[in-house]
Amino acid sequence: DTAVSQTPKYLVTQMGNDKSIKCEQNLGHDTMYWYKQDSKKFLKIMFSYNNKELIINETVPNRFSPKSPDKAHLNLHINSLELGDSAVYFCASSQEEVGYTFGSGTRLTVV
Amino acid sequence: KQEVTQIPAALSVPEGENLVLNCSFTDSAIYNLQWFRQDPGKGLTSLLLIQSSQREQTSGRLNASLDKSSGRSTLYIAASQPGDSATYLCAVFPQGGSEKLVFGKGTKLTVNP
């Protein structure tokens, strides 16, 4: 039973398209995140939601828009995709006393 | 601003060797520190979580220590095996309501049979 699941696992799309990545957690955690791992494998936070409320919005182009319909879901929509958006996107959830749990990642390739 | 540094960036050892991975962070005001492993093309697997009030945590052949005052953590791997080959990431959860995990760049470990 996967704790943090994100779909799709792989996404190949053309420049200019709009795409979404979905994430769901069944751990009952209050906080969910989107992280981006670039080609150099460095992980950097993009967004954080706590109980459906946006609490962190790092310096991310406004083409990226997160949406949290409920505490267990955090989706990421990307408009007008660019080549530089190619990366692995990780969803995660956390609760202070148990730490973070990450999804398996979505490898986005923009061609 | 919290920064996390991991040394070395890469490490290659023969099977059976005990090894230590190092992590340092610039701001000692943290809730906890978490070690992860990432296999190529895969997600992050949590290995150990150390709360700020704790000094160490152990799981099997892994032992992680935390010295919050000096901003250091170590991950000790005993009797290394080829299956331990992966990138090991250290991350801290800062206090102050920032609600985000700050990662180091990782140590890529290769255990040679």
Side-chain angles (χ1 to χ4, degrees):
Chain A
D1 205 18
T2 306
V4 179
S5 59
Q6 51 182 111
T7 55
K9 191 171 174 63
Y10 299 97
L11 186 53
V12 181
T13 188
Q14 289 186 325
M15 282 175 56
N17 284 351
D18 303 339
K19 290 292 178 186
S20 291
I21 309 172
K22 295 185 177 182
C23 179
E24 176 182 4
Q25 56 102 358
N26 62 6
L27 297 166
H29 289 172
D30 290 329
T31 311
M32 295 186 72
Y33 311 81
W34 279 107
Y35 276 80
K36 179 180 179 180
Q37 189 172 43
D38 59 25
S39 57
K40 296 181 180 177
K41 308 299 182 189
F42 187 54
L43 272 157
K44 193 172 180 184
I45 190 160
M46 300 174 69
F47 302 103
S48 172
Y49 270 74
N50 185 278
N51 273 315
K52 302 193 300 176
E53 186 177 332
L54 179 67
I55 54 173
I56 291 178
N57 183 347
E58 293 290 294
T59 309
V60 177
N62 57 15
R63 297 181 295 103
F64 291 78
S65 53
K67 283 190 172 50
S68 182
D70 55 58
K71 200 174 86 164
H73 295 84
L74 180 61
N75 303 322
L76 182 65
H77 187 76
I78 316 169
N79 289 328
S80 303
L81 278 155
E82 300 177 356
L83 293 176
D85 297 332
S86 295
V88 182
Y89 292 85
F90 286 99
C91 177
S93 69
S94 78
Q95 200 79 9
E96 184 185 320
E97 59 274 14
V98 298
Y100 272 58
T101 302
F102 278 78
S104 57
T106 295
R107 183 174 294 276
L108 171 65
T109 304
V110 182
V111 297
Chain B
K1 181 186 171 187
Q2 178 73 266
E3 292 184 0
V4 179
T5 303
Q6 291 186 245
I7 295 173
L11 182 63
S12 182
V13 300
E15 182 176 2
E17 194 160 296
N18 302 326
L19 58 101
V20 174
L21 307 181
N22 295 294
C23 172
S24 61
F25 46 96
T26 54
D27 188 343
S28 62
I30 63 170
Y31 281 124
N32 55 49
L33 181 145
Q34 199 164 356
W35 282 93
F36 297 86
R37 84 174 260 170
Q38 185 175 27
D39 293 281
K42 304 287 186 184
L44 279 72
T45 301
S46 178
L47 298 173
L48 290 163
L49 171 71
I50 311 177
Q51 301 291 351
S52 62
S53 58
Q54 297 174 324
R55 298 283 294 184
E56 66 176 346
Q57 283 285 337
T58 298
S59 176
R61 293 182 294 108
L62 305 179
N63 176 279
S65 69
L66 174 63
D67 183 345
K68 205 174 76 161
S69 59
S70 67
R72 293 173 191 267
S73 175
T74 60
L75 179 66
Y76 174 82
I77 303 176
S80 58
Q81 303 169 357
D84 294 332
S85 298
T87 296
Y88 290 80
L89 293 157
C90 167
V92 299
F93 196 120
Q95 289 182 356
S98 66
E99 298 287 346
K100 65 179 182 182
L101 209 57
V102 180
F103 281 88
K105 294 187 178 181
T107 294
K108 185 175 180 181
L109 174 65
T110 304
V111 181
N112 301 301

